[in-house]
Amino acid sequence: MIWRAVLLWMENQTSVIPLKQPIVFELQGFDVQPGNGPFLFLLALLAYIAVLLGNGVVICVIMTDKNLHRPMFVMICHLMVCDLLGATMVLPRLMMDLLTGLRKIAYIPAIVQAFCAHTYGAAMLTVLAVMAYDRYVAVCEPLRYHSIMTSARLHSCCAVAWIVALLLIAVLFSFHMNVPLCGHIIPLTYCSNRGILNLACIPTPVSDIYGLAMTWTLSTVTFIVIAFSYIRILSVSFKQGRTNSSIRSKAFQTCAPHIVVYVLFQIASLIVIVSYRFPSLSQNIKKFFSILIFIFPPIINPIIYGLVSKDLRVSFIKHFSNRVRNKT
């Protein structure tokens, strides 16, 4: 008992000694049974290929088809870029872990991964809010749409969406400066702001308060913008649909994908939050839910837009047919 108490005291003393650069973190990752790593690596690789192909094809089709150089499709491009950012920051690192078992990551790459992962979440909300505003103008002000949503305003809206997300996350990570770290084990499959600051030698109340306030404010403001836009769209489309049913169906066709994408993203986020409220869940399940937000929406989003958007679908089939015809 005495030796155990002495060892515990020594561990407590060493645990408060700040680490010196270069700091190398260790991600806990999944608890994989021997021999299962290559199979899980293959699943992660297939998921990443699906993300790259789906989002890459949508971006390429929109960029090459001048008929799709319209505000709605330009914003879809930004959404696809956001999907690629989130998946690329998490899946390749996870695949390396599953294949090689190497879970160490240096301080700067860890900060970059965490910064991009949080930017993905913030930019997804801001881009979807801008898309909702665009659809609101298109349906509620159809005669003034082209004068309101000019090319300059379109690119300004997209730029603002990214700048807001980047600034909010940049301020969040500014709290990492001069914070001494006393641990190196991150109990996740990827680096996050909270995962790194949990290793701090001192409390970080300012970062905690800002993080909660930023998350709540961003989620609330974007929800209000999206909800207001689509409630107005539904109201206008129902009124106009009494005399012309095609107007109502067209409004639903253009707005449904955005609503579905937003709901799916919020569901994935909610699953991550709720999973940590159940201590009985295994750590592997919690870790899987924590990366679900970086896998599920990026795979589903291009499928949703490809199936619902007739213009995008027709353009893809035309480009694919031309490629096959040229090869033959």
Side-chain angles (χ1 to χ4, degrees), residues 270-286:
L270 186 63
I271 289 174
V272 175
I273 296 170
V274 171
S275 65
Y276 283 94
R277 299 296 184 270
F278 291 90
S280 59
L281 285 177
S282 71
Q283 291 299 316
N284 276 348
I285 293 177
K286 291 180 181 179

Side-chain angles (χ1 to χ4, degrees), residues 23-272:
I23 297 174
V24 177
F25 298 114
E26 182 176 346
L27 297 167
Q28 282 192 343
F30 288 103
D31 184 13
V32 180
Q33 297 296 325
N36 291 339
F39 175 70
L40 295 176
F41 164 80
L42 181 61
L43 292 180
L45 177 61
L46 292 175
Y48 190 48
I49 290 173
V51 172
L52 292 178
L53 283 178
N55 293 276
V57 166
V58 171
I59 292 172
C60 290
V61 169
I62 292 174
M63 290 181 65
T64 55
D65 191 343
K66 292 184 178 181
N67 294 325
L68 298 180
H69 292 181
R70 288 176 274 164
M72 182 179 73
F73 295 103
V74 172
M75 292 177 184
I76 289 175
C77 261
H78 283 270
L79 194 69
M80 300 297 107
V81 170
C82 193
D83 286 338
L84 290 173
L85 173 67
T88 301
M89 283 300 104
V90 173
L91 286 177
R93 179 77 208 181
L94 176 63
M95 288 188 287
M96 186 174 69
D97 170 17
L98 294 171
L99 189 63
T100 65
L102 297 176
R103 298 179 176 180
K104 296 185 181 299
I105 181 170
Y107 180 79
I108 296 300
I111 293 294
V112 171
Q113 185 188 46
F115 182 88
C116 292
H118 286 277
T119 300
Y120 157 75
M124 181 68 75
L125 292 176
T126 54
V127 170
L128 285 171
V130 170
M131 294 175 76
Y133 168 72
D134 171 69
R135 292 298 85 200
Y136 163 75
V137 176
V139 175
C140 299
E141 300 287 344
L143 299 180
R144 300 174 54 220
Y145 176 72
H146 293 290
S147 62
I148 295 174
M149 193 56 68
T150 61
S151 178
R153 183 163 295 179
L154 165 66
H155 295 300
S156 296
C157 288
C158 294
V160 167
W162 282 101
I163 291 171
V164 168
L166 288 169
L167 284 178
L168 290 175
I169 303 304
V171 173
L172 178 66
F173 276 80
S174 68
F175 296 111
H176 285 259
M177 298 175 63
N178 301 322
V179 173
L181 301 177
C182 292
H184 66 279
I185 297 177
I186 298 176
L188 292 171
T189 57
Y190 65 95
C191 299
S192 67
N193 172 66
R194 192 66 260 160
I196 295 173
L197 284 185
N198 280 341
L199 306 176
C201 306
I202 57 176
T204 55
V206 178
S207 175
D208 297 341
I209 293 171
Y210 174 81
L212 289 173
M214 181 205 70
T215 302
W216 185 87
T217 303
L218 183 62
S219 300
T220 303
V221 171
T222 52
F223 172 78
I224 291 173
V225 171
I226 292 170
F228 171 80
S229 299
Y230 289 122
I231 288 173
R232 288 285 297 135
I233 287 170
L234 290 175
S235 175
V236 170
S237 60
F238 271 117
K239 289 180 181 179
Q240 295 179 350
R242 294 173 182 174
T243 56
N244 190 348
S245 60
S246 63
I247 295 176
R248 183 168 56 189
S249 62
K250 187 176 180 180
F252 276 114
Q253 186 178 1
T254 56
C255 298
H258 310 314
I259 298 175
V260 172
V261 167
Y262 176 75
V263 170
L264 287 177
F265 181 77
Q266 292 292 4
I267 290 174
S269 304
L270 186 63
I271 289 174
V272 175

